[in-house]
Amino acid sequence: MRVATSILRPFWGCVDDSISALRRALNEVESIVTLTGAGISAESGIPTFRGKDGLWRKFSPQALATPEAFRRDPKLVWEWYDWRRCLIQKAEPNGGHYALAELARRQAARSGSFTLITQNVDGLHDRAGSQNLLKLHGDIWLVRCVGCGKEQCNEEAPLKELPPRCDCGAWLRPGVVWFGEELPRGVWERAVEACSRTKIMLVIGTSATVYPAAGLAKVARNAGAQVAVVNPDPSGIDDLADWILRGLSGEILPRLL
Ligand code: BJW
Ligand code: ZN
């Protein structure tokens, strides 16, 4: 059973008080894990998937984000990814991405551990300076050959040819994880391991509705960690959170430093 200490007391009150208390806790723990989702990039102008202006309001996940969709109509799938790659290429990381990179540096300076797990494929954490990221759902800037399996970085946006082809002649697919596909095994194992030994887990900008990623907070919680949610709206794991900071990550995360 989890024992709450006085400094990590569950706090549902005023956001300012929660931020101060969580900041103190982050300064003291030896290990921190964060799980980010599309919401952390919303303030950079990248649409989220769900919610009022989410991608899934306009586009069907079955038609665009499954291996069957790619087999059926690779050109349609690539048009959507090409459009998103163009949007992302023009975007910049925001204060939330930079705050997490800084938090990692501070943890390293005090010999603590910091693991950044992301469901995002946009690369904005990398561009903000985060390192050793665990990318659960791949990377939109990677392409993988459906014939020979070769994976490579491709940052051309827009692409000249849709669908793009590998040197071997087969089609390339986006290096992301679609519904029904397994997460990259080594990455998933490292994420579970980090969650099993962390003292605090920050869950930022995710609806926590897509599994197995959404299950990581429970792994941390079952191992005795405190869980803090940063989100302007309710999410699928609010019921197990010790801290709920209602607000935009681009505003809240810099205040945790
Ligand atoms: C802000 C904000 C601001 C806004 N600041 N916050 C039941 C149990 C377990 C699993 C399943 C199940 N039923 C089905 C499954 C399987 C399925 C799944 O989970 N489906 C659910 C939808 C029900 N999962 C899978 O298929 C996964 N694979 C798998 O399970 O493998 C094993 C297996 C294999 C074979 C057969 C069976 C099992 C793979 C999941 C892959 C997800 N892929 C996508 C697309 C990636 C590529 C791409 O980008 O195109 O990943 S879908 C999409 O959802 C994307 C995201 O990473 C993912 C999560 O979304 P996220 O990040 O949470 O975004 P949103 O939009 O949902 O939420 C944004 C949040 O931000 C909101 O809460 C806002 O309030 C908030 N916000 N502004 C802070 N400024
Ligand atoms: Zn090939």
Side-chain angles (χ1 to χ4, degrees):
M1 205 218 284
R2 200 173 46 85
V3 180
T5 66
S6 59
I7 203 161
L8 299 175
R9 186 163 48 91
F11 207 114
W12 293 69
C14 156
V15 171
D16 284 348
D17 291 344
S18 297
I19 288 175
S20 306
L22 184 54
R23 188 194 303 124
R24 281 196 300 277
L26 289 170
N27 276 329
E28 286 171 13
V29 287
E30 75 227 29
S31 56
I32 303 171
V33 166
T34 63
L35 170 68
T36 64
I40 196 169
S41 296
E43 288 154 88
S44 295
I46 313 290
T48 60
F49 292 92
R50 297 162 190 86
K52 190 167 60 67
D53 301 315
L55 291 167
W56 296 155
R57 283 284 166 111
K58 283 183 246 145
F59 305 99
S60 149
Q62 286 77 24
L64 297 166
T66 65
E68 296 75 31
F70 187 75
R71 279 196 290 275
R72 197 167 44 237
D73 196 342
K75 186 157 191 283
L76 177 77
V77 171
W78 260 117
E79 279 167 357
W80 189 61
Y81 277 93
D82 199 40
W83 168 70
R84 285 177 59 206
R85 283 160 57 105
C86 291
L87 258 185
I88 293 166
Q89 197 182 52
K90 291 191 198 91
E92 294 295 336
N94 63 55
H97 298 105
Y98 287 115
L100 293 185
E102 176 60 19
L103 200 52
R105 280 190 288 270
R106 290 187 186 191
Q107 268 300 93
R110 38 191 290 268
S111 303
S113 89
F114 184 92
T115 307
L116 176 44
I117 306 169
T118 188
Q119 298 168 85
N120 297 349
V121 300
D122 56 30
L124 293 185
H125 282 303
D126 310 71
R127 283 166 57 192
S130 285
Q131 290 171 348
N132 307 318
L133 279 160
L134 297 180
K135 296 182 183 179
L136 296 179
H137 294 162
D139 186 330
I140 205 165
W141 301 111
L142 290 178
V143 292
R144 189 166 70 249
C145 177
V146 298
C148 69
K150 190 169 92 179
E151 191 165 77
Q152 55 193 297
C153 180
N154 176 326
E155 293 183 342
E156 188 184 28
L159 286 156
K160 279 193 211 71
E161 185 196 7
L162 294 179
R165 281 186 191 277
C166 177
D167 298 338
C168 78
W171 282 327
L172 294 166
R173 58 160 283 177
V176 301
V177 180
W178 285 322
F179 285 112
E181 293 187 313
E182 272 190 40
L183 276 55
R185 193 158 295 158
V187 174
W188 173 247
E189 280 159 7
R190 284 165 63 201
V192 172
E193 221 273 304
C195 291
S196 322
R197 59 175 164 74
T198 191
K199 296 287 182 231
I200 293 190
M201 179 166 185
L202 304 177
V203 183
I204 304 157
T206 176
S207 59
T209 51
V210 173
Y211 283 81
L216 287 172
K218 198 155 192 181
V219 172
R221 175 71 200 242
N222 287 347
Q226 299 276 329
V227 175
V229 167
V230 179
N231 198 312
D233 293 314
S235 82
I237 55 143
D238 288 4
D239 57 342
L240 59 76
D242 299 278
W243 318 71
I244 299 190
L245 304 182
R246 285 267 172 261
L248 308 180
S249 48
E251 292 174 7
I252 290 186
L253 296 180
R255 294 178 60 199
L256 288 176
L257 294 176

